Tab-separated table of all heavy atoms in Angstrom:
chain	number	residue	atom	x	y	z
A	388	GLU	N	-32.011	-0.759	16.257
A	388	GLU	CA	-30.834	-1.333	15.961
A	388	GLU	C	-30.110	-0.535	14.772
A	388	GLU	O	-30.796	0.058	13.959
A	388	GLU	CB	-30.939	-2.718	15.394
A	388	GLU	CG	-31.504	-3.769	16.373
A	388	GLU	CD	-31.706	-5.196	15.742
A	388	GLU	OE1	-31.427	-5.321	14.561
A	388	GLU	OE2	-32.163	-6.030	16.554
A	389	VAL	N	-28.785	-0.362	14.866
A	389	VAL	CA	-28.066	0.405	13.869
A	389	VAL	C	-27.006	-0.358	13.248
A	389	VAL	O	-26.187	-1.077	13.903
A	389	VAL	CB	-27.423	1.728	14.616
A	389	VAL	CG1	-26.578	2.549	13.673
A	389	VAL	CG2	-28.585	2.580	15.185
A	390	ASN	N	-26.848	-0.181	11.828
A	390	ASN	CA	-25.818	-0.787	11.081
A	390	ASN	C	-25.054	0.249	10.345
A	390	ASN	O	-25.708	1.220	9.780
A	390	ASN	CB	-26.390	-1.844	10.189
A	390	ASN	CG	-25.229	-2.506	9.395
A	390	ASN	OD1	-24.445	-3.283	9.891
A	390	ASN	ND2	-25.257	-2.308	8.050
A	391	VAL	N	-23.795	0.174	10.282
A	391	VAL	CA	-22.878	1.191	9.581
A	391	VAL	C	-22.228	0.441	8.376
A	391	VAL	O	-21.533	-0.562	8.671
A	391	VAL	CB	-21.877	1.792	10.409
A	391	VAL	CG1	-20.914	2.731	9.582
A	391	VAL	CG2	-22.501	2.590	11.626
A	392	SER	N	-22.469	0.859	7.159
A	392	SER	CA	-21.879	0.315	6.011
A	392	SER	C	-20.801	1.222	5.403
A	392	SER	O	-20.973	2.382	5.483
A	392	SER	CB	-22.853	-0.006	4.924
A	392	SER	OG	-23.892	-0.912	5.406
A	393	LEU	N	-19.697	0.597	4.999
A	393	LEU	CA	-18.563	1.445	4.406
A	393	LEU	C	-18.716	1.557	2.900
A	393	LEU	O	-19.126	0.646	2.230
A	393	LEU	CB	-17.254	0.809	4.799
A	393	LEU	CG	-16.882	0.691	6.253
A	393	LEU	CD1	-15.587	-0.045	6.441
A	393	LEU	CD2	-17.061	1.921	6.984
A	394	PHE	N	-18.394	2.771	2.367
A	394	PHE	CA	-18.488	3.028	1.027
A	394	PHE	C	-17.153	3.512	0.427
A	394	PHE	O	-16.123	3.020	0.795
A	394	PHE	CB	-19.682	3.979	0.637
A	394	PHE	CG	-21.025	3.248	0.732
A	394	PHE	CD1	-21.810	3.424	1.794
A	394	PHE	CD2	-21.445	2.421	-0.260
A	394	PHE	CE1	-23.029	2.851	1.994
A	394	PHE	CE2	-22.641	1.820	-0.251
A	394	PHE	CZ	-23.486	2.069	0.883
A	395	ASP	N	-17.197	4.616	-0.325
A	395	ASP	CA	-15.942	5.076	-1.011
A	395	ASP	C	-14.912	5.499	-0.093
A	395	ASP	O	-15.213	6.015	0.992
A	395	ASP	CB	-16.190	6.259	-1.823
A	395	ASP	CG	-17.116	5.957	-3.118
A	395	ASP	OD1	-17.212	4.703	-3.320
A	395	ASP	OD2	-17.528	6.765	-3.845
A	396	LYS	N	-13.632	5.084	-0.357
A	396	LYS	CA	-12.567	5.549	0.436
A	396	LYS	C	-11.399	5.938	-0.523
A	396	LYS	O	-11.148	5.408	-1.506
A	396	LYS	CB	-11.959	4.364	1.318
A	396	LYS	CG	-12.856	4.022	2.443
A	396	LYS	CD	-12.195	2.997	3.335
A	396	LYS	CE	-12.039	1.689	2.642
A	396	LYS	NZ	-11.289	0.689	3.586
A	397	GLY	N	-10.764	7.065	-0.106
A	397	GLY	CA	-9.581	7.489	-0.910
A	397	GLY	C	-8.662	8.338	-0.016
A	397	GLY	O	-9.124	9.178	0.822
A	398	HIS	N	-7.337	8.190	-0.167
A	398	HIS	CA	-6.412	8.924	0.587
A	398	HIS	C	-6.246	10.336	0.099
A	398	HIS	O	-6.406	10.688	-1.129
A	398	HIS	CB	-5.019	8.274	0.515
A	398	HIS	CG	-4.948	6.924	1.300
A	398	HIS	ND1	-4.511	6.894	2.594
A	398	HIS	CD2	-5.374	5.681	1.019
A	398	HIS	CE1	-4.564	5.701	3.102
A	398	HIS	NE2	-5.069	4.941	2.124
A	399	PRO	N	-5.906	11.288	0.957
A	399	PRO	CA	-5.600	12.625	0.571
A	399	PRO	C	-4.183	12.688	-0.162
A	399	PRO	O	-3.396	11.681	-0.046
A	399	PRO	CB	-5.504	13.419	1.863
A	399	PRO	CG	-5.264	12.501	2.883
A	399	PRO	CD	-5.812	11.094	2.412
A	400	TYR	N	-3.944	13.779	-0.903
A	400	TYR	CA	-2.738	13.829	-1.596
A	400	TYR	C	-2.260	15.315	-1.616
A	400	TYR	O	-3.036	16.283	-1.824
A	400	TYR	CB	-2.818	13.395	-2.989
A	400	TYR	CG	-1.619	13.579	-3.764
A	400	TYR	CD1	-0.454	12.681	-3.692
A	400	TYR	CD2	-1.440	14.615	-4.756
A	400	TYR	CE1	0.734	12.875	-4.387
A	400	TYR	CE2	-0.275	14.876	-5.481
A	400	TYR	CZ	0.842	13.952	-5.276
A	400	TYR	OH	1.952	14.118	-5.912
A	401	VAL	N	-0.875	15.517	-1.540
A	401	VAL	CA	-0.457	16.880	-1.732
A	401	VAL	C	1.024	16.738	-2.385
A	401	VAL	O	1.814	15.847	-1.946
A	401	VAL	CB	-0.321	17.701	-0.467
A	401	VAL	CG1	0.667	16.926	0.629
A	401	VAL	CG2	0.081	19.128	-0.657
A	402	THR	N	1.311	17.587	-3.329
A	402	THR	CA	2.673	17.806	-3.921
A	402	THR	C	3.159	19.193	-3.472
A	402	THR	O	2.378	20.189	-3.733
A	402	THR	CB	2.691	17.583	-5.429
A	402	THR	OG1	2.334	16.369	-5.747
A	402	THR	CG2	4.130	17.993	-5.980
A	403	PRO	N	4.247	19.364	-2.861
A	403	PRO	CA	4.775	20.682	-2.519
A	403	PRO	C	4.622	21.735	-3.765
A	403	PRO	O	4.965	21.295	-4.824
A	403	PRO	CB	6.253	20.533	-2.111
A	403	PRO	CG	6.323	19.120	-1.658
A	403	PRO	CD	5.329	18.318	-2.626
A	404	PHE	N	3.996	22.794	-3.456
A	404	PHE	CA	3.752	23.764	-4.670
A	404	PHE	C	4.946	24.405	-5.240
A	404	PHE	O	4.934	24.952	-6.227
A	404	PHE	CB	2.607	24.798	-4.326
A	404	PHE	CG	2.910	25.871	-3.403
A	404	PHE	CD1	3.467	27.091	-3.941
A	404	PHE	CD2	2.783	25.626	-2.002
A	404	PHE	CE1	3.781	27.991	-3.099
A	404	PHE	CE2	3.098	26.753	-1.159
A	404	PHE	CZ	3.540	27.921	-1.669
A	405	ASN	N	6.120	24.162	-4.505
A	405	ASN	CA	7.306	24.789	-5.099
A	405	ASN	C	8.114	23.573	-5.960
A	405	ASN	O	9.279	23.795	-6.264
A	405	ASN	CB	8.279	25.220	-3.978
A	405	ASN	CG	8.663	24.267	-2.838
A	405	ASN	OD1	8.142	23.083	-2.990
A	405	ASN	ND2	9.403	24.563	-1.975
A	406	HIS	N	7.501	22.502	-6.177
A	406	HIS	CA	8.086	21.364	-6.942
A	406	HIS	C	8.380	21.876	-8.310
A	406	HIS	O	7.471	22.607	-8.824
A	406	HIS	CB	7.129	20.130	-7.031
A	406	HIS	CG	7.770	18.989	-7.568
A	406	HIS	ND1	7.922	18.847	-8.848
A	406	HIS	CD2	8.311	17.889	-6.997
A	406	HIS	CE1	8.611	17.682	-9.192
A	406	HIS	NE2	8.739	17.030	-8.057
A	407	PRO	N	9.536	21.595	-9.012
A	407	PRO	CA	9.798	22.079	-10.352
A	407	PRO	C	8.752	21.897	-11.400
A	407	PRO	O	8.517	22.684	-12.201
A	407	PRO	CB	11.150	21.430	-10.625
A	407	PRO	CG	11.743	21.040	-9.319
A	407	PRO	CD	10.594	20.777	-8.362
A	408	ALA	N	8.149	20.639	-11.277
A	408	ALA	CA	7.093	20.333	-12.276
A	408	ALA	C	5.797	21.227	-12.153
A	408	ALA	O	5.233	21.596	-13.147
A	408	ALA	CB	6.677	18.892	-12.228
A	409	ILE	N	5.584	21.547	-10.957
A	409	ILE	CA	4.424	22.528	-10.699
A	409	ILE	C	4.759	23.912	-11.112
A	409	ILE	O	3.921	24.577	-11.729
A	409	ILE	CB	3.956	22.440	-9.307
A	409	ILE	CG1	3.217	21.065	-9.038
A	409	ILE	CG2	3.090	23.510	-8.823
A	409	ILE	CD1	2.664	20.784	-7.680
A	410	GLN	N	5.895	24.359	-10.721
A	410	GLN	CA	6.356	25.693	-11.118
A	410	GLN	C	6.504	25.830	-12.591
A	410	GLN	O	6.144	26.868	-13.089
A	410	GLN	CB	7.678	26.038	-10.460
A	410	GLN	CG	7.521	26.197	-8.921
A	410	GLN	CD	6.642	27.347	-8.525
A	410	GLN	OE1	6.683	28.463	-8.995
A	410	GLN	NE2	5.669	26.963	-7.519
A	411	ALA	N	6.892	24.781	-13.322
A	411	ALA	CA	7.042	24.828	-14.770
A	411	ALA	C	5.581	24.991	-15.371
A	411	ALA	O	5.329	25.737	-16.310
A	411	ALA	CB	7.601	23.652	-15.292
A	412	ALA	N	4.588	24.359	-14.813
A	412	ALA	CA	3.280	24.389	-15.187
A	412	ALA	C	2.675	25.845	-15.011
A	412	ALA	O	1.953	26.342	-15.828
A	412	ALA	CB	2.297	23.468	-14.483
A	413	GLY	N	3.057	26.431	-13.840
A	413	GLY	CA	2.612	27.882	-13.545
A	413	GLY	C	3.229	28.718	-14.632
A	413	GLY	O	2.485	29.628	-15.111
A	414	ARG	N	4.378	28.531	-15.038
A	414	ARG	CA	4.978	29.468	-16.097
A	414	ARG	C	4.289	29.274	-17.359
A	414	ARG	O	4.072	30.234	-18.265
A	414	ARG	CB	6.414	29.123	-16.220
A	414	ARG	CG	7.264	29.641	-15.008
A	414	ARG	CD	8.793	29.606	-15.346
A	414	ARG	NE	9.367	28.189	-15.630
A	414	ARG	CZ	9.728	27.355	-14.679
A	414	ARG	NH1	9.639	27.653	-13.395
A	414	ARG	NH2	10.173	26.221	-15.174
A	415	ALA	N	3.900	28.048	-17.750
A	415	ALA	CA	3.218	27.805	-19.021
A	415	ALA	C	1.873	28.497	-19.018
A	415	ALA	O	1.493	29.099	-19.982
A	415	ALA	CB	3.093	26.287	-19.207
A	416	TYR	N	1.105	28.363	-17.917
A	416	TYR	CA	-0.258	29.053	-17.825
A	416	TYR	C	-0.005	30.590	-18.127
A	416	TYR	O	-0.735	31.261	-18.722
A	416	TYR	CB	-0.805	28.907	-16.416
A	416	TYR	CG	-1.643	27.674	-16.262
A	416	TYR	CD1	-1.288	26.727	-15.188
A	416	TYR	CD2	-2.757	27.429	-17.015
A	416	TYR	CE1	-2.151	25.639	-15.022
A	416	TYR	CE2	-3.600	26.314	-16.799
A	416	TYR	CZ	-3.251	25.410	-15.825
A	416	TYR	OH	-4.097	24.343	-15.550
Side-chain angles (χ1 to χ4, degrees):
E388 296 180 357
V389 174
N390 181 64
V391 178
S392 304
L393 302 181
F394 286 100
D395 291 350
K396 291 188 294 184
H398 286 263
Y400 176 79
V401 65
T402 295
F404 71 91
N405 59 358
H406 190 283
I409 286 181
Q410 292 299 310
R414 292 192 297 273
Y416 273 125

